[in-house]
């Protein structure tokens, strides 16, 4: 048994990060058994679930999309806002009867939520039918935990700064696009955010390991990689090997893989070198997710974001000037404690100036243990909800306007899936990360094709495949 605690989770020391080669346990103990996995949260969690799936298939399980017929249910959780938390406990409530009907069912809860003491205590006291609880630092122990499973609850969650794991196997969800971790953790400690507590300190994978992974993916036919980190601009700083994110981007570009994306960038250490590298390589996609969080410098200071509204705008315009075709998306939080109406209006003014291609918007959710959660908040929820609605209307207008600029244009789209808009349609993304539903391209899965845009909505485009005829 190992329990988390937020005090240890906050520690940042000079302790050297170890690189640990994971041993991928193979066994057929669970041959003919089925697993169901449910994932909440960000891309990092989606990618962690690809690791969990590989661990489970290595034990003999096969995946099912129906949790009622599963022999093992795994829930990979997110702690970023209270509603993610509520969804997990709601789902646990729904599966409780399955465990009564089938006492051999194994229930595993992992990821960010168990990193919070309050959650682990709740699982211990109120959800004893959960067999295995693990955190973000020991996903690779899951295989052994399952092999050792008894009907007594096993809780193994660590509040450590964290290490780097190599040799991880993944059951990737796509054959064409792949996530690649370049770093883990976060040291920014924005005052509202729980991530630095749940995912440990900023630590980077070595460049050669990342490049090798990208080369292997390219050789396996992958067309796109997305480099993942809570704050990719900080890549390399901890290694002290004299390379940074711009150097990494350049070397990934030189592998010749068709498309490279990266998330997430913090506006604080977004360098000109990075902008120039993105501009220089045609296989680095011109889409930047640049969280604003608030347009008020006062609130940004309270959030601990390390930039002012003016600095954000200057960076925004620098990117747009150097990479005119770049699309820029953002994250915005409304209702941070004591955000005044004027602070909120400032956010709207920044949105009006930047005219973002898209924005994820949230009502501030206090996270126990973070500095912001201790600030007394005087703004009523109805006011926050009204602000969110007003903001959403504005950002959706700009998304639609940004999409309308594509009407009649021919763009390159990587086809990745069947479309939800009809049997004869497929879907994919433009270089600028616009979702397109495409006619006439069912044969083109995994290919980058030319598409003429015929209709534009707020959240997607419609188009048809263009075939160039050589005379
Ligand atoms: N409340 C609301 N939104 C949050 N985010 C992070 N922490 C919180 C919180 N406590 C948002 C930020 C971040 C995105 C991933 O989630 O906008 O960029
Ligand atoms: Fe959270 Fe800030 Fe780190 Fe992003 S940069 S993960 S918002 S602490």
């Amino acid at each position: 048994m190992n329990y988390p605690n937020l005090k240890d989770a906050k520690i940042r020391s000079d302790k050297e990060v170890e690189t640990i080669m994971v041993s991928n346990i193979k066994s057929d103990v669970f041959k003919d058994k089925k697993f169901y996995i449910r994932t909440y949260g960000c891309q990092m969690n989606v990618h962690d679930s690809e690791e969990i799936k590989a661990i489970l298939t290595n034990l003999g399980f096969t995946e099912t999309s129906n949790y009622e017929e599963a022999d093992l249910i795994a829930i990979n959780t997110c702690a970023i806002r209270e509603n993610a938390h509520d969804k997990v406990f709601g789902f646990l409530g729904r599966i409780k009867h399955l465990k009564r009907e089938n006492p051999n069912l194994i229930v595993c809860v992992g990821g960010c939520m168990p990193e919070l003491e309050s959650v682990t205590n709740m699982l211990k006291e109120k959800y004893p039918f959960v067999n295995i609880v693990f955190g973000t630092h020991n996903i690779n122990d899951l295989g052994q935990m399952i092999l050792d499973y008894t009907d007594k609850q096993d809780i193994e969650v660590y509040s450590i700064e964290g290490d780097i794991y190599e040799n991880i196997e993944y059951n990737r969800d796509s054959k064409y696009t792949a996530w690649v971790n370049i770093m883990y953790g976060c040291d920014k400690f924005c005052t509202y955010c729980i991530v630095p507590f749940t995912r440990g300190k900023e630590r980077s994978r070595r460049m050669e390991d990342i490049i090798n992974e990208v080369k292997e993916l390219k050789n396996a036919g992958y067309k796109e990689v997305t480099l993942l980190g809570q704050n990719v601009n900080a890549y390399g700083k901890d290694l002290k090997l004299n390379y940074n994110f711009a150097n990494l981007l350049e070397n990934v570009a030189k592998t010749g893989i068709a498309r490279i994306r990266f998330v997430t960038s913090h506006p604080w250490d977004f360098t000109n070198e990075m902008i120039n590298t993105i501009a220089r390589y045609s296989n680095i996609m011109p889409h930047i997710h640049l969280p604003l969080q608030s347009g008020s410098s006062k609130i940004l200071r309270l959030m601990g974001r390390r930039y002012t509204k003016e600095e954000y705008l200057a960076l925004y315009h620098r990117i747009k000037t150097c990479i005119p075709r770049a699309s820029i998306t953002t994250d915005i939080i409304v209702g941070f404690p004591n955000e005044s109406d004027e602070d909120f209006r400032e956010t709207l003014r920044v949105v009006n100036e930047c005219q973002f291609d898209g924005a994820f918007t949230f009502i501030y959710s206090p996270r126990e243990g973070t500095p912001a959660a201790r600030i007394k908040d005087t703004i009523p929820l109805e006011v926050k909800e009204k602000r969110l609605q007003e903001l959403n209307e504005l950002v959706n207008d700009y998304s639609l306007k940004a999409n309308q600029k594509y009407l009649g244009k021919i763009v390159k789209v990587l086809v990745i899936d069947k479309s939800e808009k009809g049997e004869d349609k497929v879907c994919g993304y433009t270089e600028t990360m616009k979702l397109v539903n495409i006619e006439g391209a069912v044969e083109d899965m995994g290919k980058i094709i030319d598409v003429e845009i015929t209709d534009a909505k707020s959240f997607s485009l419609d188009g048809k495949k263009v075939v160039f005829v050589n005379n």
Side-chain angles (χ1 to χ4, degrees), residues 291-308:
L292 166 68
Q293 311 300 7
S294 169
S296 149
S297 294
K298 178 191 106 190
I299 297 293
L300 287 170
R301 197 178 61 249
L302 292 172
M303 288 177 161
R305 289 292 287 177
R306 309 173 189 213
Y307 55 85
T308 60

Side-chain angles (χ1 to χ4, degrees), residues 80-81 192 293 331 333 362-365 367:
I80 203 130
R81 281 172 292 274
Y192 52 81
Q293 311 300 7
D331 291 341
I333 298 174
F362 314 100
I363 290 184
Y364 164 73
S365 169
R367 306 282 63 207

Side-chain angles (χ1 to χ4, degrees), residues 80 185-196 202 230-231 264-266 291 293 303-305 331 333:
I80 203 130
C186 181
D187 287 348
K188 292 285 175 291
F189 285 99
C190 300
T191 58
Y192 52 81
C193 187
I194 198 67
V195 170
E202 267 171 19
Q230 302 299 340
N231 171 23
T264 287
S265 304
H266 191 294
Q293 311 300 7
M303 288 177 161
R305 289 292 287 177
D331 291 341
I333 298 174

Side-chain angles (χ1 to χ4, degrees), residues 262-321:
F262 53 92
V263 276
T264 287
S265 304
H266 191 294
W268 185 61
D269 37 13
F270 203 111
T271 61
N272 286 343
E273 194 188 359
M274 277 168 56
I275 300 176
N276 292 337
T277 307
I278 300 164
R280 200 146 23 110
Y281 287 90
S282 59
N283 58 347
I284 303 178
M285 295 298 100
H287 166 238
I288 293 160
H289 187 65
L290 195 68
L292 166 68
Q293 311 300 7
S294 169
S296 149
S297 294
K298 178 191 106 190
I299 297 293
L300 287 170
R301 197 178 61 249
L302 292 172
M303 288 177 161
R305 289 292 287 177
R306 309 173 189 213
Y307 55 85
T308 60
K309 164 182 130 179
E310 289 75 20
E311 284 164 339
Y312 183 95
L313 287 171
L315 171 64
Y316 177 93
H317 290 297
R318 217 157 51 236
I319 295 172
K320 279 283 187 188
T321 309

